[in-house]
Amino acid sequence: MRASTFLTSTFFAATALAHGNIVSPPVRQAGAVTQQVCGAQAVSALTTDITGPLENVASNGSPDCNIFLCKGIQFEDNQNNVQEFAAGEQVDFAAEIPIPHEGPCNVSVVDLATNTLVGQPLISFASYADEALAQLPLNNTQFSVTMPTDLGTQCQQPGECALQWFWFGTNAQQTYEDCVDFVMTA
Ligand SMILES: [Cu+2]
């Protein structure tokens, strides 16, 4: 009896606190500047559950806080976290999806100043994280992208571009994002 009560409450805790996130490369983490821009409530939601959907993150309404761009997390909190990639380099991703929700997913280069995609997605799944499957395909949690070779002078300054993982759980109506800040080296 005691054991089953324990298991039940553990299960519910896990359900409430886990959906999915990128484990590597390192992704943006909310800090003091994000708190200034988006508010303490948003930062609390972002740090209490890094796997949670954007819909759980309440913005303070500031026009500078766009939850749907890198979760609202500001570059200034992540200046020491900028990755260096070369054109044509293969970048390996690891994701955790404790609570899958079927839907589309992609990883794209995002121009952070304009919140627009640069080129085509580097990888894209029409159906990702399908909870109806007994086991998720390995490439849902371990996949690679190849850095574009046609960026020209784009993405050479820190804070200019990020690799953004985007996943939308269609039935759950939940959006997931993680951003990897990067510069192109050569
Ligand atoms: Cu979820």
Side-chain angles (χ1 to χ4, degrees):
M1 188 62 182
R2 185 166 292 182
S4 81
T5 304
F6 171 75
L7 286 174
T8 303
S9 51
T10 305
F11 174 75
F12 280 112
T15 305
L17 289 175
H19 313 263
N21 63 294
I22 294 296
V23 178
S24 75
V27 298
R28 277 195 185 184
Q29 306 289 333
V33 177
T34 303
Q35 176 141 340
Q36 240 169 37
V37 173
C38 288
Q41 209 184 338
V43 170
S44 168
L46 289 165
T47 51
T48 306
D49 181 7
I50 61 164
T51 75
L54 304 184
E55 287 77 8
N56 285 1
V57 183
S59 164
N60 59 359
S62 158
D64 295 330
C65 176
N66 180 359
I67 298 294
F68 283 82
L69 174 62
C70 299
K71 293 177 160 175
I73 300 175
Q74 301 296 302
F75 171 70
E76 287 75 8
D77 287 328
N78 293 273
Q79 299 188 65
N80 297 326
N81 207 14
V82 178
Q83 308 298 301
E84 295 188 351
F85 299 136
E89 180 177 346
Q90 177 181 311
V91 178
D92 297 331
F93 276 76
E96 284 179 336
I97 311 178
I99 305 291
H101 306 290
E102 195 279 331
C105 170
N106 63 64
V107 173
S108 307
V109 176
V110 175
D111 179 315
L112 293 163
T114 58
N115 190 11
T116 53
L117 299 191
V118 177
Q120 297 297 309
L122 304 184
I123 189 170
S124 129
F125 301 82
S127 177
Y128 184 75
D130 185 350
E131 66 270 41
L133 301 175
Q135 197 174 0
L136 293 180
L138 185 61
N139 73 354
N140 282 200
T141 50
Q142 290 178 38
F143 55 85
S144 304
V145 303
T146 302
M147 295 307 291
T149 54
D150 58 355
L151 288 177
T153 57
Q154 259 185 309
C155 305
Q156 292 183 353
Q157 300 302 318
E160 191 185 346
C161 296
L163 286 180
Q164 184 166 259
W165 173 75
F166 169 91
W167 160 39
F168 180 70
T170 307
N171 286 332
Q173 294 283 297
Q174 290 180 347
T175 314
Y176 297 89
E177 286 178 359
D178 267 318
C179 277
V180 177
D181 285 295
F182 76 94
V183 291
M184 295 301 283
T185 50

